[in-house]
Amino acid sequence: MATLFTKIIDGEIPGRFVWSDDVCVAFLTIEPLTDGHAMVVPRAELEQWTDADEQTWAHLQRVARIVAQAQQEEWAAPRIGMLLEGFLVPHLHVHVWPAFSADDFDPHAPMQGVPAERFDEAARRLRERLVAQGHGEHVPDA
């Protein structure tokens, strides 16, 4: 049975994508810690990071760093958070988000009641920043 993330990747469930290539995608999470919080997810259904071969894991790390650099620049964040968890969805995913203080690192305190327009704006800003940084070939249309 396909995971929730596979359904998002396949377009069965909507997602706000900011990156797409043959190995992985990145899209905004619906439970962000801060604006622009994205997840880098392999297309292959790998349950956790230790299941990924070295090439896939290296690629996910590279994409997470590219997305993080765009987040940091776009939101002028002093730090970028990164987290691997995977208990709720058994599909490897790397969280990356702009962080402004240690309070932004509590995975049990996501933003609540975020309007769709705020997600749309964050996705637009992140896509535009990635294009400006020279990664347009991997940035999907809204």
Side-chain angles (χ1 to χ4, degrees):
M1 177 181 235
T3 69
L4 173 68
F5 292 158
T6 296
K7 290 177 182 180
I8 293 170
I9 291 166
D10 290 345
E12 296 174 34
I13 298 173
R16 291 175 177 88
F17 290 86
V18 297
W19 182 277
S20 180
D21 64 32
D22 292 341
V23 176
C24 69
V25 298
F27 51 84
L28 297 189
T29 177
I30 60 170
E31 294 186 336
L33 296 177
T34 62
D35 287 327
H37 183 161
M39 295 183 296
V40 178
V41 182
R43 291 181 180 275
E45 287 186 351
L46 304 168
E47 189 167 337
Q48 56 185 324
W49 72 272
T50 55
D51 295 334
D53 61 55
E54 289 183 27
Q55 186 176 10
T56 300
W57 179 239
H59 184 79
L60 296 175
Q61 292 276 328
R62 179 181 166 275
V63 172
R65 184 170 189 244
I66 290 168
V67 170
Q69 289 170 330
Q71 291 167 328
Q72 191 164 31
E73 189 174 320
E74 184 61 30
W75 279 276
R79 296 285 184 269
I80 292 294
M82 185 171 108
L83 172 72
L84 296 167
E85 181 201 5
F87 282 99
L88 296 177
V89 179
H91 190 143
L92 169 59
H93 51 290
V94 180
H95 289 263
V96 288
W97 69 93
F100 302 91
S101 75
D103 294 338
D104 293 334
F105 284 80
D106 184 354
H108 305 291
M111 296 165 55
Q112 300 293 318
V114 179
E117 298 80 20
R118 188 166 171 180
F119 281 117
D120 293 341
E121 176 68 9
R124 180 195 62 75
R125 288 176 63 184
L126 190 49
R127 282 191 295 267
E128 287 179 2
R129 181 63 62 175
L130 286 162
V131 169
Q133 290 179 341
H135 303 288
E137 72 276 14
H138 298 294
V139 178
D141 295 329

